[in-house]
Each structure stands twice: as C-alpha cells, then as structure tokens.
Amino acid sequence: MASLPVPSVQAMVAATGIDHVPPRYLRPTDADEPVASDGGEAEIPVVDFWRLQLGDGDELARLHIACQMALDRYCAAVKITADGLLAAMATNLGVEPEVIAERCVGGVQSVRVQYYPPCGQADKVAGISPHSDADLVTILLQANEVDGLQIRRGGAWLPVRPLEGALIVNVGDILQVFTNGRYKSVEHRVVVDGKKERLSMATFHSPSKNAIVGPLSEMVEHEDDAAYTSMDHDELLKLFFAKKLEGKNFLNPIKKLKNSG
Ligand SMILES: O=C(O)CCC(=O)C(=O)O
Ligand SMILES: [Fe+2]
C-alpha cells in the first residue's frame, strides 16, 4: 500500500476528526500478537561497543549471544525456504515432494559469513576461487548489496547483481548427484571491489552425515544409467576438504567414466 502525501492525510483528519480511524491504518486483528512487557525474558541485548573495542570478555560474550539469537532465527527461516525449494524441485522432476527430503532427515545446515575487504589490486585478486558448493542447495544473502559474486555461463563469468530483499539459490554438487545430473551444480567465484567492502552469508544445506550420496533410484531408470557411484556423505566430504577449490572438480572421484557433467 503506497503512503499518502502529508497534505492528504491532514485533509482527511480535518474532514473526519481524530476519533475516526480510516481502515487503511487499522492493524489486522487476526495477526495480533502479544507485546512482551519490558524487563521480561524477551529482553533486547545491549552491547557496549567501547568495551568491545577494548577486548572486554563479557562484552564479547554478550555480542555472541545477541548474534546467535538473530542467527538462529535466520537459519530456521532459511531452512524452511530450502526444504520448500527441494520439495518443489522434486515435483518438477516428476517424483514425490518428499523423495529428496526423506534422504535429508537430520540433514546438516551450516553457515559461513564472509567479509571481503576492499583491495587496491581488485582486478588481480580472488575473493573466492571458482568452485561449486558440496551440498544440495546453498542460500546466499549478499548482505551489503555490493557486487562480487559471478557464475560461470559458457566461457564467461556472469555477475549476479544483488537484488534488494532477494536471496540467491545455488544448486550444489550433491543435488547434481541425487538427480543423476539432471540438475547441475553452479560454478561460481567471488571477485573483490577496489573501494567497497563486501559481506555475504552463505547457508549450506546437506543430507545427514551418514546418508548415502548417490543417484536416487527414482532418477535412474536402469542401474547402468547411474552417472555416479554411491558413497557415504562423510567420506565424500573428506574428499572435498582434502582438495583445493578448483572449479567443478569435486565430483570427479565418483563420476562414472561413460558419463560427463
Ligand atoms: O560471497 C559470496 O557471494 C559467495 C560465497 C561462496 O561461494 C561460498 O561461501 O561458498
Ligand atoms: Fe560457494
């Protein structure tokens, strides 16, 4: 609903009197949630920045707790988004919405917050080297809306411009394996800016540690069609962390030779 110019509001009040509240200003009663009283459990954390700068341990702990509260809420909301996306993707792939979710009971969600300082030699420096994410889906917040993320499209890098209020969704390597290559993980990198710092927050969604990662039976008509060997998620991650970030090479060890992707 667009705002009214001030003179229009003044004219409305003059015409109807202050006791009449136009419907556009009424709060919806069905969404009326209680307002907590001051000093109760729902206290707003206060952090003394001066003490924080001096390295005061109590203040650091207070900041940590304050951030965790916000982070927990953010992560819970992002998890609902990731689950919803995976269910919709399953439907698009012609399988029941819960086919992917079932493999992800007790799945792992992890968060990485990145800070890219401005750099005098921005055109020569890598923020993050080209890679694909070793998960199902990554939900990324370009927190201060500074350019930097690029995805590989054919032979070129395509900038993913921050869009106010929008989250970026990356298909990850494990979704590529689950779908037997029907959905391909996206190769991406980050470049830095010469003048501006950049902040991002990536939330990764993976199956549980003891899940088997391999093409889902629903995605493979004959056993021979499987493009990847199945492997313990835990073992696969060990391979991932043992390697340098070098484009989409993570799946090489489990790729079956006759297929590519
Ligand atoms: O900072 C970004 O925009 C991307 C970060 C990223 O690709 C990652 O953490 O895997
Ligand atoms: Fe990434």
Side-chain angles (χ1 to χ4, degrees):
M1 182 168 57
S3 308
L4 292 182
V6 170
S8 311
V9 178
Q10 287 167 336
M12 188 164 64
V13 174
T16 59
I18 55 168
D19 289 336
H20 172 78
V21 182
R24 63 183 277 127
Y25 294 117
L26 291 173
R27 282 200 296 249
T29 46
D30 52 347
D32 232 358
E33 283 161 337
V35 176
S37 54
D38 282 345
E41 270 181 45
E43 215 179 301
I44 308 282
V46 177
V47 178
D48 183 329
F49 187 64
W50 178 247
R51 286 201 201 158
L52 199 65
Q53 294 289 82
L54 296 176
D56 182 306
D58 287 348
E59 227 49 51
L60 280 170
R62 220 164 274 146
L63 176 68
H64 189 58
I65 292 166
C67 292
Q68 266 183 342
M69 284 159 54
L71 195 60
D72 286 352
R73 280 208 307 275
Y74 176 79
C75 288
V78 165
K79 172 87 173 75
I80 293 169
T81 312
D83 288 347
L85 283 166
L86 289 171
M89 288 174 183
T91 305
N92 275 341
L93 289 162
V95 297
E96 294 298 316
E98 50 291 336
V99 159
I100 297 176
E102 268 166 14
R103 268 73 168 198
C104 303
V105 177
V108 182
Q109 185 191 47
S110 49
V111 182
R112 183 158 60 209
V113 180
Q114 266 112 185
Y115 173 73
Y116 307 89
C119 175
Q121 307 220 38
D123 51 339
K124 297 202 182 87
V125 164
I128 295 192
S129 305
H131 68 283
S132 47
D133 296 337
D135 65 349
L136 287 162
V137 281
T138 306
I139 299 198
L140 183 83
L141 177 70
Q142 308 209 63
N144 64 341
E145 303 193 349
V146 172
D147 283 358
L149 177 65
Q150 300 181 338
I151 57 169
R152 195 192 283 280
R153 265 292 152 81
W157 289 104
L158 183 68
V160 182
R161 308 256 181 243
L163 195 59
E164 200 189 331
L167 296 164
I168 314 283
V169 178
N170 284 347
V171 167
D173 293 323
I174 294 181
L175 190 58
Q176 176 168 334
V177 175
F178 269 18
T179 62
N180 201 29
R182 286 169 72 185
Y183 281 1
K184 305 259 190 288
S185 60
V186 63
E187 185 176 347
H188 53 287
R189 68 173 189 180
V190 178
V191 295
V192 293
D193 193 279
K195 300 239 160 50
K196 288 178 267 174
E197 60 185 11
R198 178 170 183 273
L199 279 164
S200 72
M201 181 144 110
T203 314
F204 304 92
H205 299 87
S206 304
S208 61
K209 279 220 162 117
N210 49 15
I212 302 288
V213 174
L216 300 180
S217 53
E218 293 83 349
M219 305 279 167
V220 180
E221 229 169 283
H222 305 288
E223 221 176 285
D224 289 353
D225 296 337
Y228 308 94
T229 331
S230 298
M231 191 183 232
D232 274 350
H233 184 205
D234 222 10
E235 291 300 314
L236 195 64
L237 285 185
K238 279 186 201 146
L239 289 179
F240 177 72
F241 288 115
K243 272 183 157 315
K244 279 208 299 192
L245 289 182
E246 253 172 8
K248 276 190 63 163
N249 64 358
F250 167 55
L251 294 178
N252 289 350
I254 60 165
K255 218 183 265 179
K256 290 193 177 171
L257 283 183
K258 62 182 177 119
N259 288 294
S260 60

